[in-house]
Amino acid sequence: DIVMTQSPDSLAVSLGERATINCKSSQSVLYSSDNKNYLAWYQQKPGQPPKLLIYWASIRESGVPDRFSGSGSGTDFTLTISSLQAEDVAVYYCQQYYTTPCSFGQGTKLEIK
Amino acid sequence: EVQLMESGGGLVQPGGSLRLSCAASGFTFSSYWMHWVRQAPGKGLVWVSRINSAGGGTGYADSVKGRFTISRDNAKNTLYLQVNSLRAEDTAVYYCAREHSSGHDVFDYWGQGTLVTVSS
């Protein structure tokens, strides 16, 4: 199974500043036949289910604000929030869907500094 | 509006069983693969099971294989998870999730979850 490791485990950022969350997979999730990275990002606010933010590593889901962006390829990925808003306080998870079973990172807790 | 609503969770003794349900509305349920994902208290997300749109193809995490059974009733727009031989480590919020239209195991809509607690 592919192991997903996020860093840091927690992060405190000032309002309006950039937040960066990293995700590393134990093997590449880049599928050579379609040149797509099978990597998604989710946001989970307290007491709520997860919400899909990004898929194919960099495609923003409909309705997700453009301050959220995803990048990376192969085994190393990044979720960036360009200007942190108060409503962005949440736990963020990366997920690989290159193989079955799909697997999630342990989560990164984002707070306001 | 897409809605998924789980039910059927509760407190059960080790070795016991439950049947979880997920009522779907706001989309053509029979066209989508569906999944169950669980989250132990204070922990991360773990994929549990999937079923294809017609109900004829299923998949399970190794940790639940042989104990859990996923099914669906497209006429009733409902997804099920029969959970048997429950263990303490099965304690979690169980979410049903719809697979994204792009395919593969990406989940674009989630229910609010139903809590299963396994304890004597």
Side-chain angles (χ1 to χ4, degrees):
Chain A
D1 295 2
I2 296 178
V3 176
M4 307 299 291
T5 304
Q6 294 179 225
S7 62
D9 289 333
S10 63
L11 179 63
V13 174
S14 300
L15 290 173
E17 296 299 305
R18 178 185 301 259
T20 300
I21 298 170
N22 300 301
C23 175
K24 189 174 184 67
S25 56
S26 60
Q27 66 184 74
S28 177
V29 298
L30 174 61
Y31 193 35
S32 57
S33 66
D34 60 11
N35 201 36
K36 288 182 175 179
N37 287 283
Y38 284 52
L39 190 286
W41 288 96
Y42 297 84
Q43 174 194 66
Q44 187 177 32
K45 297 181 179 180
Q48 295 186 18
K51 173 187 175 182
L52 176 64
L53 297 175
I54 303 279
Y55 59 100
W56 299 132
S58 62
I59 306 298
R60 206 177 300 115
E61 173 68 343
S62 176
V64 173
D66 60 7
R67 64 179 180 273
F68 291 91
S69 63
S71 62
S73 185
T75 61
D76 293 280
F77 300 90
T78 300
L79 174 70
T80 301
I81 307 172
S82 60
S83 177
L84 189 70
Q85 305 299 304
E87 61 265 33
D88 300 334
V89 169
V91 178
Y92 292 84
Y93 295 93
C94 62
Q95 177 218 3
Q96 68 79 20
Y97 49 100
Y98 181 85
T99 61
T100 297
C102 66
S103 51
F104 296 85
Q106 81 277 16
T108 294
K109 186 174 184 179
L110 177 58
E111 299 173 314
I112 304 295
K113 185 186 291 183
Chain B
E1 178 191 7
V2 171
Q3 290 193 339
L4 299 169
M5 185 173 299
E6 301 92 338
S7 61
L11 175 63
V12 60
Q13 292 187 339
S17 299
L18 286 172
R19 189 195 200 197
L20 309 183
S21 299
C22 171
S25 61
F27 66 103
T28 305
F29 180 70
S30 59
S31 297
Y32 286 84
W33 290 41
M34 297 295 295
H35 299 252
W36 289 96
V37 178
R38 69 183 181 184
Q39 186 171 35
K43 302 297 185 182
L45 302 165
V46 177
W47 176 80
V48 172
S49 183
R50 78 157 72 84
I51 188 167
N52 69 8
S53 56
T58 60
Y60 299 92
D62 285 346
S63 60
V64 307
K65 203 171 292 183
R67 300 188 299 123
F68 290 12
T69 303
I70 191 172
S71 62
R72 65 192 296 162
D73 185 336
N74 285 342
K76 294 183 177 180
N77 291 341
T78 303
L79 174 72
Y80 302 101
L81 187 68
Q82 179 68 41
V83 297
N84 298 331
S85 304
L86 283 163
R87 308 165 180 166
E89 54 265 34
D90 295 318
T91 294
V93 173
Y94 285 73
Y95 295 104
C96 66
R98 190 183 82 167
E99 186 166 295
H100 194 269
S101 56
S102 67
H104 308 282
D105 297 338
V106 178
F107 313 121
D108 61 354
Y109 285 93
W110 300 61
Q112 289 297 312
T114 188
L115 176 62
V116 173
T117 303
V118 184
S119 175
S120 55

